[in-house]
Amino acid sequence: MSGQAVAVVDTNVLLNLATPVVDRRARAPSGADPFKALLAAYDVHVPASVLGEVTEATGGEDLLATAADLVLRAAHQVTTHDVDDRTDEPLEYGLDRGEAEAIWLANELEADLFITDEFNTTNYLFVSLALDDRNSLFTSPHILCTFAAHGVLPSEFVEAALSYYVETKGWDSQYVAQLRQRYLVDGENA
Amino acid sequence: MAEEKTRIDFNAPKSLVERADSVVDILDISRTRLLIDALEDELEALADDEAFRRRLGDAYYDGRVDYKTVEAILGREEAMRMKLLEASIDRTPAEPQLADGLPSDESFYDGDIPEWRDDSSSESEDESRA
């Protein structure tokens, strides 16, 4: 609220940003909390199905389940919308329910940002097509770079986090390199 | 249907041409047909090759190859994805706003942060590194 930009996010964004926070391996970046930064810096909204998908991911012993556990601990910081049965239309394409409903919600709220990590595959095309305002489409690495540029997160942490995601999640390294170049090298990293 | 053709001449090792001609005889096709098929197969294989795709992506982002080239080699969907992603990089997201800095973990997460360690493999690795 309070004049913050409205962001709608999908399940993977929440889980991806929470992952380095709970990952205690040496390879994980430490010293900052990108998940908390997202929820504190924007007015974050999700459809109930996204929290449903996060809940489904809990219960195991693995890294993903631990990240999901962290997301749920902060779920009260997120505005949840009941959007049942709003996406029967041909919105879904190859997208899962949470994704399709999140896009629907972003359109409905005229959100300033729709954040997705579906940028490695052609799903990105469907997301682009389904969003009313393509200019509101962003990804976690783009947002992380923005946080570095605005001093919300340390640049060194964002650098390390981007490398971590490229290695562990197989994020499109060229796209990430472009973002680095644009926001971390040329930007306010000095 | 008949696409315009362009003539190419090139030198190749004699023994390779002889082998090709033997194959051409057996298959009862023209030498041209064999070469075209071979080229098409090679281009198709490259399109699936991760290292090649990376180089093509670099070339596209650096402006050394254009959209049409990427589309011809990787297909329209992949080319569109790269084009849209590239366009998105220059977009500036709405500014993040923190009222009073980041909240404490205690108030934000209502307790300790859950932690995950890779018990199966990293234990020895981490300890030896420590």
Side-chain angles (χ1 to χ4, degrees):
Chain A
M1 335 313 144
S2 71
Q4 283 187 326
V6 170
V8 174
V9 304
D10 71 11
T11 310
N12 282 332
V13 168
L14 295 175
L15 293 174
N16 285 338
L17 291 182
T19 297
V21 184
V22 300
D23 190 347
R24 285 292 178 269
R25 289 176 300 176
R27 70 195 301 191
S30 58
D33 184 336
F35 176 67
K36 186 158 72 177
L38 174 78
L39 267 51
Y42 291 125
D43 178 13
V44 176
H45 295 248
V46 294
S49 54
V50 160
L51 286 185
E53 287 177 359
V54 172
T55 307
E56 279 171 30
T58 59
E61 298 281 306
D62 58 359
L63 178 57
L64 182 70
T66 314
D69 188 21
L70 185 77
V71 172
L72 290 185
R73 294 258 201 110
H76 59 285
Q77 313 275 352
V78 172
T79 309
T80 308
H81 298 256
D82 200 357
V83 298
D84 274 356
D85 304 324
R86 304 307 271 274
T87 56
D88 298 340
E89 294 156 52
L91 181 61
E92 296 185 22
Y93 305 103
L95 306 172
D96 63 32
R97 177 147 206 91
E99 187 91 34
E101 289 194 359
I103 294 169
W104 183 89
L105 182 62
N107 288 339
E108 184 72 7
L109 295 175
E110 297 180 15
D112 301 296
L113 309 110
F114 177 76
I115 311 173
T116 179
D117 284 340
E118 293 281 345
F119 56 89
N120 259 7
T121 69
T122 46
N123 269 0
Y124 188 74
L125 298 186
F126 301 138
V127 175
S128 263
L129 284 170
L131 265 186
D132 287 347
D133 178 8
R134 187 185 289 168
N135 289 322
S136 66
L137 178 55
F138 294 97
T139 63
S140 290
H142 200 149
I143 296 301
L144 287 173
C145 287
T146 302
F147 285 167
H150 284 86
V152 176
L153 292 173
S155 294
E156 311 78 60
F157 174 83
V158 171
E159 282 279 4
L162 292 178
S163 301
Y164 169 79
Y165 287 124
V166 167
E167 283 169 26
T168 61
K169 299 272 177 194
W171 280 5
D172 183 333
S173 58
Q174 287 164 325
Y175 167 62
V176 171
Q178 292 286 311
L179 286 171
R180 268 204 172 106
Q181 185 68 29
R182 174 83 167 70
Y183 291 92
L184 300 177
V185 180
D186 297 341
E188 300 172 29
N189 198 25
Chain B
M1 277 296 151
E3 193 181 339
E4 190 191 347
K5 293 194 167 65
T6 183
R7 180 170 181 83
I8 52 168
D9 293 297
F10 61 95
N11 294 313
K14 206 172 167 203
S15 64
L16 181 64
V17 176
E18 284 169 4
R19 274 164 62 201
D21 283 343
S22 309
V23 170
V24 159
D25 280 345
I26 292 164
L27 293 177
D28 194 22
I29 57 174
S30 67
R31 190 197 267 174
T32 301
R33 182 75 256 157
L34 181 75
L35 287 172
I36 290 174
D37 287 351
L39 255 179
E40 280 178 346
D41 287 350
E42 176 65 12
L43 290 174
E44 207 171 295
L46 279 172
D48 285 335
D49 181 87
E50 193 54 42
F52 173 76
R53 292 169 74 100
R54 192 168 299 234
R55 288 176 67 168
L56 182 65
D58 283 338
Y60 174 70
Y61 285 128
D62 292 348
R64 282 178 283 132
V65 300
D66 61 8
Y67 174 80
K68 280 224 148 313
T69 307
V70 178
E71 186 184 30
I73 298 174
L74 297 184
R76 177 172 290 174
E77 288 191 349
E78 178 60 13
M80 277 292 287
R81 184 187 75 89
M82 287 173 62
K83 188 180 184 176
L84 286 173
L85 264 186
E86 188 198 25
S88 78
I89 288 166
D90 287 328
R91 262 181 235 146
T92 307
E95 200 171 316
Q97 285 182 17
L98 290 178
D100 305 300
L102 291 173
S104 71
D105 286 348
E106 289 71 29
S107 64
F108 194 82
Y109 292 119
D110 193 22
D112 292 337
I113 291 177
E115 298 181 353
W116 182 81
R117 289 184 169 76
D118 186 0
D119 293 331
S120 57
S121 64
S122 70
E123 226 169 63
S124 52
E125 200 181 306
D126 283 351
E127 274 168 12
S128 63
R129 213 179 280 162

